[in-house]
């Protein structure tokens, strides 16, 4: 079953897709979405398979968006736990689109927040859905859409999708906080976890350092030691210490060790960065 719900007309509002296999949950989600003035229209589906059919839908508005090179909807608000094709599997399909809709997860399973944000979700709303909380999620959707639209307007081309790992989800006292990658100065390995160091403090995340190294290499992060990953642009000095080379991070005289096997590569990267600069 698939239903279409129209909201009050207004300018600069969003076409969104709501997905939940539980009728009460879907009704609750649609009700909260309708209560937000930025929502122009809601497409609703009661499972992931129905939701994915919108990719090829002949719905006039969806078809027009496809013809203009836009994602089928501005945002997808989806449950994660659904029979058959899960919300996570469905969202991977949406996230692979270029450009992709903004993802928001609405579910009763907070332990899956890390996996959700790995897909680039901008928010994670716990059930039961509350108007005030969903309004905050919609505000994040608008911020994300504005951020991706600005480069496109400047270049005269279509907006490029943001990288999946531009934000990292961190659990703090039962709340999920989004840490922008740009705010991370260095990362320290702690077993199967990693600790992100920012100007505001440190945050432990359930992601191995090797995985972050692979994902963040093109963003300017470099491995200097088996235990450390550093933002290359923040290295202000490479110095020889008693136990080997060390790097200085920023102006704070924060020293991190550089292993022998990473020294040559780091020097090359620093020289290349200096020439490019």
């Amino acid at each position: 079953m698939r239903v279409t719900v129209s909201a009050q007309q207004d300018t600069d509002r969003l076409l969104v897709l709501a997905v939940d296999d539980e009728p009460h949950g879907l009704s609750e989600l649609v009700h909260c979405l309708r209560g937000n003035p930025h929502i122009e229209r809601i497409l609703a589906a009661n499972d992931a398979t129905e939701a994915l059919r919108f990719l090829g839908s002949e719905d006039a508005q969806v078809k027009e968006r496809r013809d203009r090179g836009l994602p089928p909807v501005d945002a997808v608000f989806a449950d994660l736990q659904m029979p058959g094709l899960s919300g996570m599997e469905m969202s991977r399909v949406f996230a692979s689109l270029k450009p992709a809709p903004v993802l928001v997860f609405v579910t009763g399973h907070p332990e899956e927040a890390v996996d959700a944000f790995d897909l680039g979700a901008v928010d994670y709303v716990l059930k039961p859905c509350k108007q005030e909380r969903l309004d905050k999620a919609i505000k994040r959707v608008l911020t994300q859409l504005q951020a991706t639209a600005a480069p496109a307007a400047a270049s005269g081309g279509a907006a490029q999708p943001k990288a999946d790992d531009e934000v990292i989800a961190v659990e703090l006292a039962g709340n999920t906080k989004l840490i922008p990658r740009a705010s991370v100065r260095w990362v320290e390995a702690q077993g199967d976890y990693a600790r992100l160091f920012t100007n505001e403090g440190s945050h432990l995340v359930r992601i191995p350092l090797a995985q972050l190294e692979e994902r963040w290499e093109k963003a300017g992060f470099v491995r200097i030691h088996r235990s450390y990953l550093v933002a290359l642009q923040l290295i202000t000095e490479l110095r020889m210490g008693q136990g080997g080379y060390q790097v200085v991070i920023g102006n704070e005289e924060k020293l991190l060790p550089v292993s022998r096997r990473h020294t040559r590569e780091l020097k090359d990267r620093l020289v290349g960065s200096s020439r490019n600069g």
Side-chain angles (χ1 to χ4, degrees):
M1 179 185 72
R2 183 175 63 201
V3 296
T4 301
V5 184
S6 295
Q8 278 187 317
Q9 292 299 313
D10 198 359
T11 58
D12 300 322
R13 294 195 294 171
L14 309 175
L15 170 64
V16 300
L17 173 60
V19 190
D20 197 325
D21 65 298
E22 298 176 355
H24 177 71
L26 182 59
S27 176
E28 195 173 60
L29 174 57
V30 167
H31 176 75
C32 289
L33 287 169
R34 292 176 70 180
N36 186 282
H38 295 289
I39 303 300
E40 177 183 9
R41 187 180 176 208
I42 306 162
L43 304 173
N46 65 357
D47 60 37
T49 302
E50 287 291 334
L52 291 177
R53 287 177 184 167
F54 281 110
L55 295 178
S57 172
E58 290 302 311
D59 177 273
Q61 191 172 2
V62 175
K63 190 173 184 298
E64 180 189 7
R65 291 174 63 91
R66 287 203 308 268
D67 292 342
R68 293 167 55 197
L70 298 172
V73 294
D74 292 303
V76 178
F77 292 78
D79 187 14
L80 284 177
Q81 295 289 335
M82 293 187 287
L85 190 66
S86 72
M88 189 69 70
E89 292 167 329
M90 175 200 72
S91 296
R92 287 192 180 98
V93 176
F94 280 113
S96 69
L97 298 178
K98 294 185 179 182
V102 181
L103 299 176
V104 176
F105 292 108
V106 184
T107 182
H109 302 273
E111 68 276 5
E112 294 178 316
V114 172
D115 293 333
F117 286 116
D118 278 346
L119 280 178
V122 298
D123 209 347
Y124 190 97
V125 180
L126 290 179
K127 292 182 178 181
C129 186
K130 302 295 184 183
Q131 188 68 57
E132 183 179 0
R133 182 64 184 85
L134 195 66
D135 287 345
K136 290 181 180 179
I138 294 171
K139 185 176 181 180
R140 287 179 174 174
V141 169
L142 291 167
T143 299
Q144 175 86 338
L145 290 172
Q146 291 165 2
T148 55
S155 64
Q160 295 298 314
K162 302 190 80 174
D164 286 348
D165 51 3
E166 286 191 345
V167 295
I168 293 290
V170 176
E171 293 297 319
L172 295 172
N175 296 319
T176 301
K177 181 178 181 180
L178 300 182
I179 305 298
R181 181 178 59 196
S183 71
V184 178
R185 302 170 67 77
W186 75 89
V187 186
E188 181 178 354
Q190 295 191 354
D192 292 333
Y193 290 71
R195 184 169 291 279
L196 312 178
F197 288 83
T198 69
N199 286 329
E200 290 73 36
S202 66
H203 312 278
L204 190 65
V205 294
R206 194 181 64 186
I207 304 175
L209 189 67
Q211 184 177 336
L212 283 179
E213 178 188 9
E214 181 180 350
R215 289 165 50 182
W216 289 6
E217 180 182 6
K218 293 182 179 179
F221 281 78
V222 59
R223 189 76 169 261
I224 64 169
H225 188 277
R226 68 179 181 179
S227 298
Y228 293 99
L229 184 67
V230 177
L232 186 67
Q233 64 178 356
L234 297 181
I235 297 177
T236 55
E237 186 180 343
L238 175 65
R239 64 171 63 163
M240 174 62 79
Q242 226 173 10
Y245 279 103
Q246 299 172 314
V247 293
V248 180
I249 306 298
N251 300 317
E252 61 205 48
E253 286 294 308
K254 175 62 182 179
L255 297 175
L256 296 177
V258 180
S259 65
R260 289 184 179 181
R261 67 184 295 259
H262 290 100
T263 299
R264 172 50 57 190
E265 180 185 359
L266 177 60
K267 286 182 177 180
D268 291 343
R269 292 283 297 272
L270 287 171
V271 171
S273 177
S274 176
R275 286 174 177 170
N276 292 335

